[in-house]
């Protein structure tokens, strides 16, 4: 980040790397990681309630946090 741009009051939107985009992505990764951890802790009854098998839940919860493609 260009420190002189901050001192001059340059808008973050004009800077090459948008901090809000980076922070948003990190927040999304944290949420995905937490959701996958919680999914791994669900019992069979809870998985039935959401329409997932144990195998599907284990496969989804084993995915890395940065893998956000729909499957």
């Amino acid at each position: 980040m260009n420190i002189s741009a901050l001192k001059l009051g340059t808008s973050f939107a004009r800077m090459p790397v948008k901090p809000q985009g980076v922070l948003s992505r990190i927040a999304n990764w944290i949420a995905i990681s937490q959701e996958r951890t919680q999914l791994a802790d669900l019992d069979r009854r809870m998985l039935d309630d959401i329409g997932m098998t144990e195998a599907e839940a284990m496969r989804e919860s084993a995915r890395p946090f940065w893998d956000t493609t729909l499957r």
Side-chain angles (χ1 to χ4, degrees):
M1 181 173 2
N2 184 348
I3 299 299
S4 63
L6 293 175
K7 290 179 183 175
L8 296 174
T10 302
S11 169
F12 281 117
R14 294 183 191 155
M15 297 180 76
V17 175
K18 296 181 180 177
Q20 68 271 18
V22 172
L23 295 177
S24 175
R25 181 168 294 191
I26 291 170
N28 190 38
W29 284 343
I30 290 168
I32 289 169
S33 177
Q34 291 172 341
E35 290 170 4
R36 289 180 179 165
T37 299
Q38 291 170 350
L39 182 62
D41 292 337
L42 297 180
D43 63 24
R44 181 177 289 179
R45 180 187 54 81
M46 290 183 223
L47 290 171
D48 286 343
D49 285 347
I50 63 171
M52 287 188 90
T53 65
E54 289 182 59
E56 290 170 333
M58 288 294 103
R59 192 168 39 251
E60 179 65 24
S61 64
R63 291 172 56 193
F65 66 86
W66 63 83
D67 184 2
T68 59
T69 57
L70 296 177
R71 295 185 182 186

